[in-house]
Amino acid sequence: MYTQNTPVHVKLWHHDFWRLALANLLVTVSVYMFIPVLPAWMATYVGVDASRYAMGIYAVGLFALGGFCSYFVQRYRRNHVCVVSILTMVACSLLQYYLPTLLGHSRSMLPTLFIIVRYVIGAAFGLAQMVLMSTLVIDTSESFRRTEANHSAAWFGRFSLSLGPLLSLLVYRYLGFQQVVWVSCICGLVAIVLIQLVDFPFKAPEDQLRVFSSDRFFLLHGVPLFVNLMLCTMVVGMIMTLENDVVFYAMMMAGFLLALLSQKYVFANAELKSEIVTGLVLLCASVLMLMTDNQTATVYIMPVTTGLGIGIIGARFLLFFIKLSKHCQRGTSQSSYFLSWELGLTTGIFIGLGYGVEEKDMLLRVALITTILALLMYQVFTHSWYLKNKNR
């Protein structure tokens, strides 16, 4: 039995879990690979503003199919829904690269088409993640280990926030943008193979099957958690627009590893709110280090505090979402957590691209204000609200 203040640790799992966890890592890597290189590539064809809106519309697409998720996984085989979503994502990733070539000299429609393709990528990725994390991982785990399964699988996705851009920048440096696209697509295809290796027994649909519902999509009474986590990941998104260096993402990955270890050795018996508060203080420190422009701190310490901070915050908020959910709402809590994480991250990237490196000081002020707002919201409202409303 997991208490409210007990962290969950990764244990040895059966093969099906590892296949799905690796599939989660690869699917997320395939999307995050475009964060550091795609905006500049698109800008060469459609300009900075259109490129920025194409990156931002992805977040809107994430919500497009969520309301139909429950219907899809009951009407069709749930693993097939996930596979088709990933295939759509892979096809659109290729399409966005070849659009300028396909249009030739008639490129007036290129900005609109980029925006449409990015929207579809967001919709496909959103559905794939909702099915994978809120249905497939849960269905392959025993009922008493599902919290641990959710926690462990989510860490694979969290690591991809550093692994995806790191891989992308290395491929881009030595092979070019075209190979970034192909490596991204290969990651998606390997994820499909891993999902197909898992045997999912047939499940009969509900008697009254609704086409649109919030089930497996959005936890309506979890809005305060949703907003608070979104503010946290917004800060990370803004920081990522300023850092397109391999060392940054390598050190950020080290921060994630420290976050994973800290849950076991540092916060095992700590006060419940200490993790979120510590994580936000670390994010605040990252922003302040960027403001001071100290080269050593910015290059080697700031990425670690960023990864450590958002890693701690993400892991604890996930457990908050799970414990807030009512009976049979575990999958819905997973989807809400995912949407909050992605919406905040993409919003931060959208804001960061709007300011650009030239207005770095102003962007960092916005990031600092956002961090302080997230901390105040958690301290003044979210934590006490959660304690009053949790169901587990």
Side-chain angles (χ1 to χ4, degrees):
M1 177 69 68
Y2 296 104
T3 64
Q4 184 63 45
N5 201 34
T6 302
V8 187
H9 309 306
V10 178
K11 293 183 179 179
L12 292 176
W13 290 88
H14 50 75
H15 292 162
D16 287 348
F17 171 80
W18 284 114
R19 288 168 183 149
L20 294 177
L22 287 172
N24 179 40
L25 173 70
L26 290 169
V27 170
T28 316
V29 162
S30 71
V31 172
Y32 287 164
M33 281 184 71
F34 289 113
I35 291 176
V37 295
L38 183 61
W41 179 83
M42 281 197 297
T44 60
Y45 294 100
V46 297
V48 174
D49 288 339
S51 169
R52 176 180 172 230
Y53 284 110
M55 294 297 292
I57 200 68
Y58 156 86
V60 181
L62 291 168
F63 292 81
L65 298 175
F68 304 98
C69 182
S70 181
Y71 172 78
F72 287 148
V73 298
Q74 293 189 71
R75 176 65 178 80
Y76 309 100
R77 292 186 69 89
R78 50 204 186 280
N79 54 321
H80 292 171
V81 174
C82 189
V83 166
V84 170
S85 299
I86 298 172
L87 279 175
T88 303
M89 196 178 76
V90 169
C92 287
S93 296
L94 284 173
L95 179 60
Q96 75 181 352
Y97 174 73
Y98 287 105
L99 269 177
T101 304
L102 293 172
L103 291 178
H105 297 292
S106 305
R107 294 184 177 177
S108 58
M109 289 294 292
L110 196 53
T112 303
L113 291 175
F114 270 141
I115 289 173
I116 292 172
V117 170
R118 289 295 299 171
Y119 177 83
V120 175
I121 289 174
F125 178 60
L127 182 59
Q129 276 289 327
M130 287 181 210
V131 176
L132 183 58
M133 296 299 292
S134 70
T135 302
L136 301 187
V137 169
I138 291 173
D139 286 353
T140 55
S141 304
E142 298 89 344
S143 59
F144 66 93
R145 300 188 72 182
R146 284 176 178 170
T147 297
E148 189 176 0
N150 293 145
H151 175 88
S152 303
W155 263 112
F156 281 79
R158 226 166 274 135
F159 271 111
S160 64
L161 185 59
S162 55
L163 180 59
L166 175 64
L167 178 61
S168 171
L169 290 170
L170 288 172
V171 174
Y172 183 76
R173 177 185 295 178
Y174 297 108
L175 300 173
F177 182 75
Q178 183 181 19
Q179 303 310 316
V180 172
V181 176
W182 281 106
V183 171
S184 170
C185 293
I186 289 169
C187 287
L189 294 175
V190 173
I192 289 174
V193 172
L194 290 170
I195 293 170
Q196 290 292 77
L197 289 174
V198 180
D199 181 37
F200 294 96
F202 172 77
K203 272 191 173 183
E206 296 176 359
D207 293 333
Q208 295 183 346
L209 191 58
R210 289 184 294 174
V211 176
F212 187 92
S213 73
S214 62
D215 184 35
R216 291 185 175 90
F217 171 39
F218 193 79
L219 197 65
L220 295 174
H221 61 284
V223 172
L225 288 181
F226 185 94
V227 174
N228 215 157
L229 176 59
M230 190 187 85
L231 289 172
C232 299
T233 54
M234 274 178 62
V235 178
V236 179
M238 285 185 263
I239 291 174
M240 289 176 72
T241 61
L242 296 173
E243 299 294 336
N244 277 343
D245 184 70
V246 170
V247 175
F248 171 82
Y249 290 106
M251 299 304 291
M252 187 179 181
M253 191 180 299
F256 280 132
L257 287 170
L258 288 175
L260 188 58
L261 292 172
S262 70
Q263 286 189 287
K264 182 177 181 180
Y265 297 108
V266 179
F267 296 105
N269 299 303
E271 186 183 353
L272 181 59
K273 66 163 59 175
S274 62
E275 285 176 273
I276 306 295
V277 172
T278 302
L280 283 165
V281 169
L282 287 167
L283 286 184
C284 188
S286 295
V287 176
L288 290 173
M289 277 185 269
L290 282 169
M291 285 180 165
T292 61
D293 211 21
N294 181 295
Q295 192 68 15
T296 302
T298 302
V299 173
Y300 297 107
I301 303 175
M302 183 273 297
V304 176
T305 55
T306 302
L308 177 57
I310 198 60
I312 294 170
I313 290 168
R316 177 48 66 182
F317 262 111
L318 175 63
L319 291 177
F320 280 175
F321 270 103
I322 292 172
K323 294 176 186 297
L324 185 70
S325 62
K326 298 177 182 177
H327 181 62
C328 294
Q329 286 187 320
R330 178 183 291 275
T332 310
S333 69
Q334 297 297 297
S335 297
S336 296
Y337 169 82
F338 159 74
L339 290 170
S340 176
W341 177 280
E342 289 293 323
L343 179 61
L345 189 66
T346 308
T347 302
I349 292 171
F350 180 78
I351 293 171
L353 292 175
Y355 281 103
V357 179
E358 297 80 8
E359 298 181 75
K360 176 182 175 181
D361 291 341
M362 182 59 69
L363 175 61
L364 290 174
R365 290 192 191 100
V366 173
L368 184 61
I369 291 169
T370 305
T371 311
I372 294 170
L373 281 175
L375 181 57
L376 287 174
M377 180 180 177
Y378 182 75
Q379 284 277 67
V380 174
F381 175 72
T382 306
H383 186 77
S384 58
W385 172 88
Y386 163 76
L387 292 177
K388 291 176 184 177
N389 291 273
K390 63 187 178 72
N391 288 286
R392 305 177 191 223

